[in-house]
């Protein structure tokens, strides 16, 4: 067993999903995927492919359905995957031997592409597992109200599995659907705009059941008015807000008191009004044409 086991080797994944993950790993291995390989998942059934790739020590890119053909072609050129997978993997009772360590490439994150096409970044297994530990355990089931092609929602889904909690996936961002699903979920991962939409639906239907105990909010600044609205509509729900980026993972956490505090081990520096970050959770670097350009120790996303 590697020093840092893959998520599907940690004993926290539900049996049905685990069987699919090993089925995906076996299918991938038969096609030459090994530790150090890269795969792209172009399927709505992301989790078993992702977990199967991780079992083999392969890095996984999740294709964004909304990319233009130009963006898709550019991303795949930069990621240079050894295989693009579609469809749904079969389940198996057989088990593959987990491969890789904490330094193994785990996830090929992509930026939003606001300046040109999306960049492809390499994240190690430990960079996300240590981020899960920094966020800490959550009560379940955990609601993920958006597509796993978004790194925020993928992070939430894998964190839930790391916690040993059931995951409730919604394929698209819709406040009404999320409000209905919140009747059977104890935690939710979302962005401020989605939180505002969810609270608006719940406020219109004050008798609607909502089981949420913890709201995890990232992706953008959470303003005081929205915090106050959350406390009004869901007075018993705790809030965890965080600041992070695709390049750096979690940078700072706010556990409900309105103050962002750096994640332990993360160094911050303000230079000419711009935040610079030195973090063990940061990406390894950027892929361009399949070639890695290592990230510097200190880096910024110009926030």
């Amino acid at each position: 067993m590697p020093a840092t086991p893959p998520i599907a080797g940690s004993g926290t994944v539900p049996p049905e999903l685990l069987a699919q993950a090993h089925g995906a790993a076996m299918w991938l291995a038969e096609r030459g995927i090994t530790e150090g390989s890269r795969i792209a998942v172009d399927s709505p059934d992301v989790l078993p492919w992702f977990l199967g790739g991780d079992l083999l020590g392969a890095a996984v890119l999740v294709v964004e359905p909304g990319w233009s053909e130009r963006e898709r072609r550019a991303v795949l050129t930069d990621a240079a995957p050894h295989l693009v997978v579609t469809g749904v993997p079969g389940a198996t009772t057989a088990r593959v031997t987990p491969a890789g360590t904490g330094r193994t490439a785990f996830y090929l994150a992509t930026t939003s592409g606001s300046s040109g096409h999306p960049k492809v970044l390499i994240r190690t297994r430990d960079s996300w597992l240590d981020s899960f530990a920094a966020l800490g355990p959550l009560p379940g089931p955990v609601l993920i109200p958006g597509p796993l092609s978004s790194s925020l929602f993928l992070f939430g889904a894998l964190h839930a599995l790391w916690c040993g909690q059931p995951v409730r996936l919604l394929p698209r961002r819709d406040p009404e659907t999320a409000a209905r699903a919140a009747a059977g979920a104890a935690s939710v991962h979302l962005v401020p705009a989605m939180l505002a939409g969810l609270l608006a639906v719940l406020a219109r239907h004050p008798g609607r059941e909502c089981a949420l105990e913890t709201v995890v909010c990232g992706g953008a600044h959470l303003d005081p008015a929205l915090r106050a609205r959350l406390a009004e509509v869901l007075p018993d729900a705790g809030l965890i807000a965080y600041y992070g980026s695709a390049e750096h993972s979690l940078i700072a956490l706010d556990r409900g008191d309105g103050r962002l505090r750096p994640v332990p081990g993360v160094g911050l520096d303000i230079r000419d009004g711009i935040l610079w970050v030195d973090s063990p959770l940061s990406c390894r670097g950027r892929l361009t044409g399949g070639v890695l350009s290592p990230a510097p120790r200190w880096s910024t996303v110009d926030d």
Side-chain angles (χ1 to χ4, degrees), residues 38 40 61-64 67-81 84 108-113 115-121 286-291:
R38 297 186 294 271
L61 168 81
V62 182
V63 174
E64 166 57 59
W67 283 334
S68 68
E69 184 55 37
R70 181 189 66 82
E71 289 174 320
R72 176 190 169 93
R73 184 167 54 250
V75 168
L76 291 181
T77 297
D78 282 343
V84 178
L108 303 181
T110 55
T111 62
S112 62
S115 56
H117 70 264
K119 295 184 294 185
V120 179
L121 311 172
R286 177 180 177 180
L287 279 175
T288 306
V291 178

Side-chain angles (χ1 to χ4, degrees), residues 27-28 33 37-43 45-46 49-50 53 58-64 67 72 75-87 106-108 110 120:
W27 189 92
L28 292 168
I33 300 301
S37 297
R38 297 186 294 271
I39 68 169
V41 177
D42 190 7
S43 164
D45 205 20
V46 170
W49 287 120
F50 199 105
V60 182
L61 168 81
V62 182
V63 174
E64 166 57 59
W67 283 334
R72 176 190 169 93
V75 168
L76 291 181
T77 297
D78 282 343
H82 299 92
L83 192 64
V84 178
V85 299
T86 60
F106 165 77
Y107 175 44
L108 303 181
T110 55
V120 179

